[in-house]
Amino acid sequence: MQYFVDVIIPIPLQKLFTYSITKSEADFLKIGMRVSVPFGKSKIYTGIVYNIHNEAPTVYEAKEIHQILDDSPIVNQKQLQLWHWIADYYMCTLGDVMRAALPSAFILESETIISKNNIKEINESTLKDDEFLVYEALQHQSSLKIHDIVNILDKKNVLPVINRLLEKNAIQLDEEVYEKYIPKLVRYVKLHNNFSSEAALHKLLDDLNRAPKQRQVIMTLFSISAKTKKPVKVSDLTTESDASPAIVKSLIDKGILEEYHIQMDRIQYSGEANEDSKDLNDYQAIALKEIKESFATHNITLLHGVTSSGKTEVYVKLIEDALQKGKQVLYLLPEIALTTQLITRLQNYFGEQVSVFHSRYSTHERVEVWNNVLKNAAKAQIVLGARSSMFLPFNDLGLIIVDEEHEQSFKQFDPAPRYHARDTAVVLANIHRAKTLLGSATPSLESYYNAQQNKYGLVEISQRYNNVLMPDIELVDIKDKHKRKLMKGHFSDRLIEEMADALKNGQQVILFQNRRGFSPIVECNTCGHAPQCPNCDVSLTYHQYRDQLRCHYCGYVMAMLKSCMACGSSELDSKGFGTEQIEEEVKALFPDYKVARMDLDTTRGKYGYEKIITAFEQLEVDILVGTQMLTKGLDFRNVKLVAVMNADNLLNFPDFRAHERSFQLMLQVSGRAGRTDVRGKVLIQTYNPYHAILQQVSNTDYIGMFNEQMNERYNFKYPPVYKQIKITLKHKDYTKVDTAAIWLAKSLRQVFEEHVLGPESPPISRIRNQFYKNILVKIPKKQSLLKTKEAIIKINNSFLSIKDFRSVKLIINVDNF
Ligand code: ADP
Ligand code: ZN
Ligand code: ZN
């Protein structure tokens, strides 16, 4: 009898590939193990065994596998079930899913580039002969491909050697960044040397009799250092003396205290849980009870809790329950909200049971987490991670939490699989018969709609923790301010007033501006020409810091122009405004305060994001200017004022979700204000203060927003009322993509009639020299999604059989929003 395996390989093939194996291989192999296989003329891939059988393929001669790579499966049946669902639902191949699902170290292939791991010293005597040969070669050559290694070792089956070297951490795969180590600077204070003599100290304390709060701080400093005999952290000092950070700051300013920093090694985390979870307040306790009741009838429940209501503490209780039942827990977050703040908070409660899975971690670390989850190790009972963490080999999930469930970044846009992590998490939970809790202060329309339809349970918390009031939100009409000449640059008199007030009291300010760079575009005052990207259909944006013009789509860069490219005039003007310009202006307005900026440009480097957050947390920065990066679940204690510099460019964004997103974004930034006892203040500058969304934001009127937006979605046939699938075509030849798009839309229309929109050129119709066309298929509730997809696949197949269209790239995006 002959034996065969069907193998998933990480490339977009419509069908699985079949290889022949021997009887003993068939006896040994299990579904979910890896094998290395030849493909095409000379390629090598790592494949996952999907099926073992005796049927020879009919249309080709099955090749033999090269080698078996595992002793036991690294992918389990539940994962394969999930992969299948993703491939079907999002209309991609199992190979696409496999590539997204596995850490790259698991899928060595001919294209993999291997180099020496320079971070770790390797004791060469621990290497086997073949490992040493490869390692040795990497001393002389910066990188090798699989085929080079085949030549060096003079044998075909080299993946096991490479796997062993990876396990020993001797080599690394290219495209990798190692960023786990995050040194944290901690702020300490001591008494200034001027007061080291007894006499000077007495005099100081006498002088401070008139400033009892300050005196209290000094006394507390003494008592802490007497007790601990260690440097005193500013944070300990403020907590124990019950003084505001402003008082400590004033003591530093007066030269009585001296501040200094010590680097704290976050990696030295002891691994012990050192805190009990917090007792819930009444609102939280009721919410917890309601969530549990809701889970009795709904596997999915939405927790709608206002910002700072303490949702995280409620999650913690649910996690404790799941752990008690011996279940695994997955806590999903948008990448950017996965801050050290939150990681530390959970590690304090759960110690080593928390594993973090982050794209910024090295392959080695990701493989470690993978293996811990696979073994169901104590170390990985709770996985905290961004969207890709749901591909981990869980075998007994009890609970999935999707925090900030409204966040757009849960959707992967490119490459395939174009999946939405929240929706996929629901399916994953189903496979495990686990519960899913979606949490947000500003739920997505689709989740709230599902709750209204009673598909999901719904639980609300409408009070902030400690009964802190929701911030007071004020709309500032900048059209009127301009008219009355009450603007300084982009700052209204109201904003300047409120800023001055907050800063004077030692409180912090956040300024939100939805654009990075100095100003979006540069325009010639004489002829109106704006410099364009040569590869894309957009104007370049000006970045003052480097005096450059840049394209945000393809990364094209040129030096700022001295004169107009079209007419030669030197009168170039910048239109609009970005974070960099706000930063400049605020520095001029408040020269005595420390300003920092947080956007893609300032956080690109290693630890960039963490550094800014830490500095702000530790009150080293007074004013933080930033983009939406600021909105994500950050818990700052001392922010009094938040300002949205210009609400209009959010509202006017050309997208059917622009209004919903603006509402979410503005409420989320507002939520950063006044999280402790002082009531926060929010100023929203706009040309259009009567805009319904702004009214809803200023009243924190989620339901008002929901009803009005749902109305529009009904009227204009948008999700969540209709489903939609976007088909994008691209090609470097405009005529070709145009003809192809017209053909495709016409064929789709024959089936779906008026529910096909387009083809249309997107707002940016050319990117990296490729022309784009979009077609949108809208799917009414009563129409079968499955049948719709089948029809689309059929039309696509005819499309692909037309010779002229073969070079046109076609991308299908299900739920493209
Ligand atoms: P949310 O996620 O809803 O915005 P958080 O969970 O971050 O809110 O809570 C806001 C702040 O209130 C945090 O600093 C948290 O430690 C504190 N907090 C929330 N609940 C409690 C509680 N029951 N006891 C003590 N502190 C709490
Ligand atoms: Zn470009
Ligand atoms: Zn000009």
Side-chain angles (χ1 to χ4, degrees), residues 278-281 284 306-313 345 465 635 637 675:
K278 301 205 161 54
D279 290 330
L280 298 184
N281 69 15
Q284 290 169 319
V306 295
T307 51
S308 204
S309 54
K311 294 185 286 296
T312 318
E313 303 302 331
R345 205 162 144 190
Y465 179 71
D635 190 25
R637 318 302 302 160
R675 289 172 73 92

Side-chain angles (χ1 to χ4, degrees), residues 533-538 540 551-556 766-768:
C533 174
N535 314 317
C536 314
D537 227 9
V538 287
L540 296 168
C551 171
H552 285 182
Y553 288 86
C554 72
Y556 174 85
R766 185 178 55 123
I767 298 175
R768 291 173 209 269

Side-chain angles (χ1 to χ4, degrees), residues 83 86-87 90-101 387 391 410-420 424 812-814:
W83 291 14
I86 293 176
Y90 293 105
M91 302 178 80
C92 63
T93 68
L94 279 172
D96 289 326
V97 185
M98 172 181 173
R99 188 174 285 285
R387 60 172 188 246
F391 290 117
F410 279 125
K411 165 83 180 178
Q412 168 149 323
F413 282 93
D414 256 319
R418 298 182 169 79
Y419 65 102
H420 197 297
T424 311
I812 301 183
N813 193 338
V814 179

Side-chain angles (χ1 to χ4, degrees), residues 542-549 558-562:
Y542 178 51
H543 287 240
Q544 189 196 38
Y545 174 63
R546 292 206 180 83
D547 204 29
Q548 284 173 342
L549 295 171
M558 68 191 273
M560 174 59 188
L561 298 168
K562 299 269 180 296

Side-chain angles (χ1 to χ4, degrees), residues 337-357:
L338 199 51
T339 55
T340 332
Q341 260 190 356
L342 182 77
I343 297 171
T344 314
R345 205 162 144 190
L346 290 180
Q347 282 176 336
N348 279 335
Y349 297 144
F350 298 109
E352 275 201 319
Q353 289 171 291
V354 182
S355 273
V356 181
F357 195 72

Side-chain angles (χ1 to χ4, degrees), residues 473-489:
I473 302 179
E474 177 182 329
L475 301 174
V476 180
D477 181 351
I478 44 178
K479 194 164 165 196
D480 174 66
K481 297 286 183 194
H482 271 297
K483 222 184 294 164
R484 295 197 286 138
K485 306 235 174 319
L486 294 173
M487 296 290 289
K488 278 197 185 135

